[in-house]
Amino acid sequence: MASSARSRNLGKLERDKGRPTGVAEGCAKGPHFSRHGETLKVPMSLFRDNRHRLVSRLREKGTRSDTFVVLQGGVNVPFNDTDINWPFRQESFFQWCFGVEEPDCYGAIDVVTGASILFVPKLPAEYAIWEGKLHTLDEFKERYGVDETRYTDEIAAVLKGKRAQLLLTLSGRNSDSGLLKDGAVFDGITEFRVDSETLYPVICECRVIKSPQEIEVLRYVCDVSSEAHKTVMRRMRPGTPEYNAEAWFQHFVYAKGGCRHVSYTCICGSGHNSSILHYGHAGAPNNKVIQDGDMCLFDMGGNYCGYAADITCSFPANGKFTDDQKLVYNAVLKARDAVIAAAKPGVVWTDMHLLANKVVLTSLKEGGLLVGDVEDMIKAGLNAVFQPHGLGHLLGLDVHDVGGYLPGHPERPKAAGVNKLRTARTLLAGMFVTVEPGCYFIDCLLDAALANPEQSKFFVPEQLQRFRGFGGVRIEDDVLITETGVENFTKVPRTVEEIETFMQIDRST
C-alpha cells in the first residue's frame, strides 16, 4: 500500500491517540497500564472502582462482617508436554478486579472496608536471570494501586490475621461455553468457611454494566480495531491468501494500538467460506486464495488491557459489488440499521433479533428469492435458515462476555430461530453489546429447508439456486446502550457506496 494511503488510513487513530482525555489525563498522575506513549493509559483506579462496585453489591445482600472475597488469577499453561507456555492471558474475573499482568497471583477483598490484598508468587532469586528484575512487594503495590501486597504462601496466615472466617470464592457455569469456573484453591483454605455460590452471579452482574472508565477502554480498542479493518479493506486484492488479511489486522492492532492479543481466532472467510460462521479454525486456517468476485467476511477484534473488540466487515474482494452482492449486503445493512434505531433501555433483546430477521426476510422477498408472508416465514423457522446465530452478545473482558443468562433474568428461549441467542435480557444503560445480523447461504441448511414442506413453500428455487456458493454477509458493530438509545463504537465504511469509494482509493497500487 502506498504511503499516502497509509497516512490517510491512520489519520483518525493518530488524531485520537490521546483520547479518551479523561482517562489519559487521570492515569498520568497514578499507576496505569499502557504499551507505549501513543497507546491508551488505563488507570489502575478502573480496577479499584470495579472492586468497590462488587463489595457494594455484596453488602446489599447482607454479607457477614468477617467475609473476604478471594480470587485466583490465571496460570501459565504449558504447550502440550514441553517447557514452553502459551502466551499468557489473565483470567477475566481477576483482570476485572485487579488488572494484574503476571500469572499465578491471588487477590482478596475485605467486603466491609473494600480494602484489597494482592498476593504474588515468591520467585527464587535465579529467576532474575531468565525473567529480569524481581519486583518487591512495595513495587507491586505501587504498580497495581492495591492496599496491600503479600506473597502467595502467606494467604491463609494473612487472612487469619485479619479475622476472616467466611471466604467467597468464584464458582459458576459460563452460559456461552457451558464450562465450569472453579473457585480459588490455596494451602490452608480448609481452615475457613467457603461459600462458592454467592459470588458468581453478583460479579457477573457487575460486569454486565460497564463503568465510565471501562467504556473508554472499549472505545479505544474499537477505534484501533476499526482502523485495522480499514487497512485490510484497502489493501485487499483478488489473488490474496485469506491469511494475509489476518496478518495485516494483527500487525496493525499490535504495532499501532499496543494490542498484543486478538480477542478470538480471526475469521477471514471469502467466497463460500464466508458462510462458515467460525471459519479460521485449525481445520480451515484462513488458507484459501481470494478470487475476483468473492465476498469477504472478516470478523476480527483486538484486545487491549483485557478488553475485547469484535467487528465484522463484509465487502467484495475487488471493491465493486455485483447486483446479487448488493441485494444480500443491503438486506443485512437494513437489519443493522433497524436494530440500531430501535435498541434502548427497556427493549428486549429477543425482539431485536426477530426485528433483524424480519428485515432480512423482507429484503429477500423483495429481491425475488422468497414468496409469502414474512410472519409465516418466522413461524416456520425460516429465519434460522438464513441466520442460524443470534443477533449479538454482551462484550467486555470476554468476547462473549458473562451475564447472558443469570438467575432473575430470562432463560434461554427454546423456539427455533431464537434458541441460539447468547442472551434474552432486557437492555439496560451501560450494557455493551454486538449487533451482528447476517444472511448466509449454507448448503446443509438450504437442503434441509427445501426438503421441509413447511419451509420450502416460501422459496423461489430457480432464484435461490444462483446463490449456491455465494457464502454470506455479516455486519457486526460494537455498541453501548445509553439512556436514550445506542452509541456505535465501530467506525468503518458501511454502505455500499462508502465501501466502494473507500476501496478505490489508490487501487492501482
Side-chain angles (χ1 to χ4, degrees):
M1 182 170 60
S3 60
S4 59
R6 181 167 61 251
S7 297
R8 284 192 294 272
N9 199 31
L10 301 184
K12 180 180 182 298
L13 185 60
E14 291 300 309
R15 289 193 302 272
D16 289 351
K17 67 188 179 183
R19 190 173 65 105
T21 56
V23 173
E25 291 171 359
C27 69
K29 301 174 184 177
H32 61 269
F33 168 95
S34 69
R35 286 300 178 211
H36 60 80
E38 295 183 352
T39 63
L40 179 67
K41 295 180 175 63
V42 181
M44 287 297 118
S45 60
L46 181 156
F47 307 104
R48 178 201 65 204
D49 292 347
N50 284 348
R51 296 192 294 268
H52 290 172
R53 285 199 285 153
L54 174 60
V55 297
S56 293
R57 279 186 177 268
L58 290 171
R59 289 173 194 154
E60 290 172 4
K61 296 177 68 68
T63 308
R64 294 169 28 166
S65 61
D66 55 3
T67 304
F68 278 71
V69 170
V70 177
L71 297 174
Q72 183 173 356
V75 299
N76 272 322
V77 179
F79 181 77
N80 298 328
D81 61 344
T82 72
D83 62 347
I84 62 172
N85 297 317
W86 289 101
F88 177 72
R89 290 179 62 174
Q90 188 58 266
E91 195 278 329
S92 295
F93 289 102
F94 195 80
Q95 177 71 14
W96 187 83
C97 278
F98 290 96
V100 170
E101 295 188 69
E102 291 83 2
D104 303 313
C105 296
Y106 288 75
I109 310 168
D110 187 329
V111 174
V112 172
T113 67
S116 56
I117 312 168
L118 175 63
F119 297 94
V120 298
K122 190 172 187 178
L123 301 176
E126 65 178 359
Y127 270 51
I129 301 171
W130 310 102
E131 298 188 7
K133 180 182 183 297
L134 300 183
H135 297 290
T136 67
L137 291 177
D138 284 342
E139 287 171 333
F140 278 116
K141 179 181 176 182
E142 173 64 22
R143 178 178 176 183
Y144 292 118
V146 293
D147 296 299
E148 187 176 348
T149 46
R150 304 291 289 267
Y151 289 116
T152 52
D153 59 3
E154 303 176 283
I155 297 175
V158 169
L159 293 176
K160 282 182 187 177
K162 297 182 181 297
R163 296 181 172 83
Q165 295 189 34
L166 176 63
L167 306 185
L168 303 182
T169 64
L170 194 59
S171 181
R173 192 167 299 277
N174 186 293
S175 62
D176 284 298
S177 68
L179 299 177
L180 184 67
K181 166 65 181 171
D182 291 324
V185 177
F186 58 87
D187 289 341
I189 193 172
T190 56
E191 300 174 38
F192 304 88
R193 278 190 57 204
V194 176
D195 176 350
S196 61
E197 297 181 358
T198 297
L199 183 58
Y200 189 80
V202 174
I203 195 171
C204 285
E205 193 63 34
C206 286
R207 283 178 57 182
V208 166
I209 304 300
K210 273 48 180 183
S211 71
Q213 289 179 318
E214 287 182 296
I215 289 167
E216 295 308 329
V217 183
L218 290 164
R219 189 190 307 278
Y220 173 81
V221 75
C222 288
D223 279 349
V224 171
S225 298
S226 294
E227 292 299 319
H229 270 282
K230 288 163 66 178
T231 293
V232 172
M233 188 180 296
R234 186 167 279 163
R235 294 184 68 174
M236 182 50 57
R237 303 287 188 278
T240 302
E242 292 166 336
Y243 60 76
N244 277 18
E246 180 177 15
W248 293 336
F249 183 89
Q250 290 181 332
H251 176 265
F252 187 100
V253 296
Y254 198 3
K256 297 297 182 182
C259 301
R260 188 176 194 185
H261 304 289
V262 289
S263 294
Y264 50 94
T265 301
C266 292
I267 299 169
C268 299
S270 64
H272 173 72
N273 293 340
S274 60
S275 68
I276 302 171
L277 301 185
H278 283 175
Y279 181 72
H281 57 81
N286 296 323
N287 61 351
K288 171 182 171 293
V289 175
I290 299 169
Q291 302 299 311
D292 194 12
D294 278 354
M295 278 295 290
C296 298
L297 188 159
F298 293 164
D299 184 340
M300 302 179 283
N303 190 287
Y304 189 78
C305 196
Y307 285 86
D310 182 6
I311 296 170
T312 305
C313 293
S314 298
F315 56 90
N318 60 17
K320 286 289 186 180
F321 285 84
T322 66
D323 288 343
D324 283 346
Q325 289 171 346
K326 286 181 183 178
L327 168 62
V328 178
Y329 186 87
N330 281 330
V332 177
L333 183 62
K334 287 178 183 177
R336 195 277 321 239
D337 291 346
V339 173
I340 293 291
K344 61 182 179 181
V347 170
V348 178
W349 191 241
T350 310
D351 293 341
M352 294 294 91
H353 174 82
L354 292 173
L355 171 62
N357 288 169
K358 291 173 185 177
V359 171
V360 169
L361 293 174
T362 298
S363 294
L364 296 182
K365 177 181 174 180
E366 292 171 349
L369 278 69
L370 302 175
V371 293
D373 182 76
V374 170
E375 293 292 342
D376 290 340
M377 295 179 197
I378 296 286
K379 292 175 184 176
L382 204 66
N383 50 330
V385 174
F386 290 101
Q387 185 187 311
H389 60 77
L391 173 64
H393 49 81
L394 298 167
L395 180 64
L397 282 168
D398 297 317
V399 67
H400 298 150
D401 214 17
V402 294
Y405 294 102
L406 290 174
H409 296 286
E411 296 181 353
R412 187 184 300 275
K414 294 182 172 58
V418 292
N419 58 358
K420 301 299 184 182
L421 281 167
R422 295 185 185 274
T423 187
R425 292 181 62 142
T426 298
L427 296 178
L428 299 169
M431 284 182 172
F432 197 65
V433 300
T434 66
V435 175
E436 51 179 306
C439 181
Y440 315 88
F441 297 87
I442 302 172
D443 286 337
C444 62
L445 294 181
L446 293 174
D447 291 340
L450 288 167
N452 179 348
E454 295 301 314
Q455 295 180 333
S456 62
K457 63 185 179 182
F458 298 109
F459 289 110
V460 181
E462 61 273 19
Q463 298 294 328
L464 182 66
Q465 185 60 35
R466 75 175 190 269
F467 286 87
R468 293 282 191 162
F470 174 97
V473 168
R474 180 164 64 252
I475 297 173
E476 182 175 14
D477 290 344
D478 299 347
V479 308
L480 174 70
I481 307 300
T482 68
E483 294 290 348
T484 57
V486 304
E487 181 184 352
N488 192 344
F489 284 12
T490 305
K491 308 298 181 186
V492 297
R494 280 304 192 203
T495 69
V496 166
E497 295 76 19
E498 288 170 347
I499 291 170
E500 288 186 339
T501 299
F502 184 81
M503 292 186 69
Q504 291 311 306
I505 298 174
D506 291 334
R507 199 70 185 168
S508 61
T509 59

